[in-house]
Amino acid sequence: TLRRSAFFAMAWLVLVSGCARLPDTGKTLLKPKTLSELQGYLLNHKADLHQFRLGGPFAVDMRKDYEIRLSTTELINTDLFLSAHAEKAPLVILLHGYDSSKEDHTFQAMHLASWGMHSLALQLPNNGPWVRNGRTLAKIVNFIYRWPEIVDSRIDVNKIVLVGHSFGGSAVAIALAEGAPAAGGVLLDPA
């Protein structure tokens, strides 16, 4: 659908522009009051990469070292970034690559949340095996899909997007192959 295509285009533009790490004044020319108003504006205007280099129009609630318990033996350490609007919104889950950490994606996660998409940066083992990380990622997505309140009641479970960098991209591909109920995946410099 058009809205789904616009969502993926916006997520991609925000991710790409967020990677640039240009000076961010924290200001944007857009002043929507709601996520729906922002989406309506973006659907009716030509995409402009430069506009996404600035921080988005929404404040962000950051929860460092937010733990998600999958079972009695599995506890996942994350950083959670919630966009401050009141509507249901997509969740973008970011996974680091080899010899990296969730902190390597703090800027991207914050940037996504400022544009209305909640984000979650995961900390999984950073030296493999990536098949196991992919299966763990699939379990995390399934868990959030069934119980979004574990993260936030404003998560739109039909709009979960997985983003993986390097070997994290391999884990995203594995999670999707394992049937993770995600709308899609973005592979950043995949291994």
Side-chain angles (χ1 to χ4, degrees):
T1 69
L2 182 60
R3 285 203 179 275
R4 184 176 223 155
S5 297
F7 160 68
F8 277 111
M10 184 172 128
W12 182 82
L13 285 169
V14 171
L15 277 167
V16 169
S17 63
C19 289
R21 291 198 182 227
L22 293 177
D24 183 357
T25 62
K27 297 178 183 175
T28 182
L29 300 176
L30 299 174
K31 298 293 182 200
K33 294 179 180 76
T34 66
L35 181 61
S36 297
E37 190 178 313
L38 174 62
Q39 289 172 338
Y41 173 85
L42 294 172
L43 283 170
N44 292 310
H45 290 81
K46 183 179 174 191
D48 178 9
L49 181 61
H50 297 293
Q51 119 185 5
F52 291 109
R53 286 191 172 147
L54 298 173
F58 299 108
V60 177
D61 175 18
M62 182 176 101
R63 298 179 188 172
K64 191 98 170 119
D65 296 321
Y66 184 82
E67 294 181 333
I68 297 175
R69 182 168 295 283
L70 295 177
S71 70
T72 56
T73 59
E74 287 181 288
L75 186 64
I76 307 299
N77 188 16
T78 75
D79 288 339
L80 175 61
F81 301 82
L82 296 170
S83 191
H85 57 77
E87 297 172 82
K88 283 203 178 279
L91 174 66
V92 179
I93 300 175
L94 298 115
L95 181 58
H96 59 82
Y98 180 82
D99 202 26
S100 297
S101 69
K102 64 184 171 59
E103 285 78 15
D104 293 326
H105 298 284
T106 296
F107 181 81
Q108 290 169 320
M110 178 78 75
H111 199 74
L112 285 161
S114 78
W115 280 99
M117 295 173 269
H118 307 301
S119 56
L120 189 66
L122 302 178
Q123 182 65 53
L124 294 180
N126 65 0
N127 54 7
W130 294 97
V131 170
R132 184 172 52 201
N133 282 354
R135 290 183 179 140
T136 300
L137 179 58
K139 284 172 46 176
I140 292 166
V141 176
N142 276 307
F143 190 75
I144 293 171
Y145 186 84
R146 281 192 226 113
W147 298 287
E149 304 79 29
I150 204 75
V151 175
D152 192 272
S153 61
R154 296 170 297 144
I155 300 297
D156 183 342
V157 296
N158 296 310
K159 293 181 181 173
I160 297 174
V161 174
L162 307 179
V163 177
H165 177 253
S166 189
F167 273 116
S170 297
V172 164
I174 292 163
L176 293 171
E178 291 282 322
V186 177
L187 308 180
L188 301 171
D189 193 24

